[in-house]
Amino acid sequence: MSWQKWTAALIAFARRWCEGLFRRRIPAQGDAYNHADLFMRIGCQYYAAARFAMHAQCMHVCGNLFHHAVEMILKGGLARKRNLSDLKDMRHNLREIWRAYKADFPDPALERHDKTISGLDKFEAIRYPDANLKQIAVTAEWSGPAGKVTAYGGSTTPKQYALVVSDIDDLIADAFKMSSWNPGVFMGTNPAALESITRRNDHLEFLTKR
């Protein structure tokens, strides 16, 4: 093979490789929108279920459901700008997802939710029952300061898992605003779900208006 043909073949191979790399890294616009849409819809279902669990005082389940609600809604925003495989690599790590979200939607106002993210992220550790569940305290409040369980009589203070629903409501409302989504479209029209979402929620009008 002459050097001209060899060079042409090498250039053609490099072009095909680069085009394949670009397709893998940058999602098609339609796919990105569909992925983002599904993340938001599933996230809102978790959100409604989490608030149901809070009303029923199902503490462990409540925390995990809120964890997944926030995870999916944040990934809904990220899916507009990132490949689906990148989001899968983040798994359920809320701290990592939150860092990525603040990088894609830079706004100093989001920093007020750092503490809420840190608190929710801990609930992933108690997703499955094991011996550690005997040495923890789980509290959930609708609003106000987070609850705390204190040990007396020489007992060891248990590890605290606490959440405040109003703080999570604030976070979810801001996530919709930052991502420019219309929340009412994703919250749906089911009366029971809407009752759960609007119960003691300062953002009820914004989150349900279509």
Side-chain angles (χ1 to χ4, degrees), residues 11-128:
I11 292 173
F13 171 79
R15 182 181 293 113
R16 289 194 300 272
W17 185 85
C18 289
E19 289 174 350
L21 180 65
F22 181 79
R23 285 195 297 270
R24 287 194 298 273
R25 289 184 179 275
I26 307 299
Q29 185 65 28
D31 289 342
Y33 180 83
N34 290 335
H35 293 153
D37 184 271
L38 286 172
F39 273 122
M40 300 303 290
R41 292 186 185 281
I42 295 171
C44 289
Q45 291 181 24
Y46 272 122
Y47 183 47
R51 289 180 123 264
F52 264 124
M54 175 63 187
H55 181 62
Q57 291 293 283
C58 299
M59 299 299 195
H60 292 72
V61 173
C62 173
N64 279 293
L65 289 173
F66 273 124
H67 180 290
H68 288 303
V70 170
E71 173 192 344
M72 299 301 265
I73 288 172
L74 293 179
K75 284 183 175 179
L78 293 173
R80 285 182 160 184
K81 304 183 179 185
R82 299 185 183 227
N83 193 289
L84 185 61
S85 62
D86 295 332
L87 304 187
K88 287 182 178 180
D89 289 342
M90 296 179 188
R91 299 181 64 81
H92 306 299
N93 189 329
L94 271 190
R95 292 174 186 266
E96 181 179 354
I97 296 167
W98 184 235
R99 286 194 296 269
Y101 190 88
K102 289 194 294 183
D104 284 8
F105 300 93
D107 190 322
L110 290 177
E111 294 182 3
R112 73 188 184 106
H113 303 301
D114 290 352
K115 185 177 179 180
T116 301
I117 291 291
S118 296
L120 271 180
D121 187 57
K122 293 169 60 178
F123 278 87
E124 182 65 14
I126 58 172
R127 186 176 180 184
Y128 299 107

Side-chain angles (χ1 to χ4, degrees), residues 168-185:
I168 300 171
D169 294 335
D170 292 342
L171 167 59
I172 287 177
D174 278 354
F176 270 104
K177 294 172 183 176
M178 292 293 169
S179 304
S180 299
W181 289 107
N182 181 346
V185 172

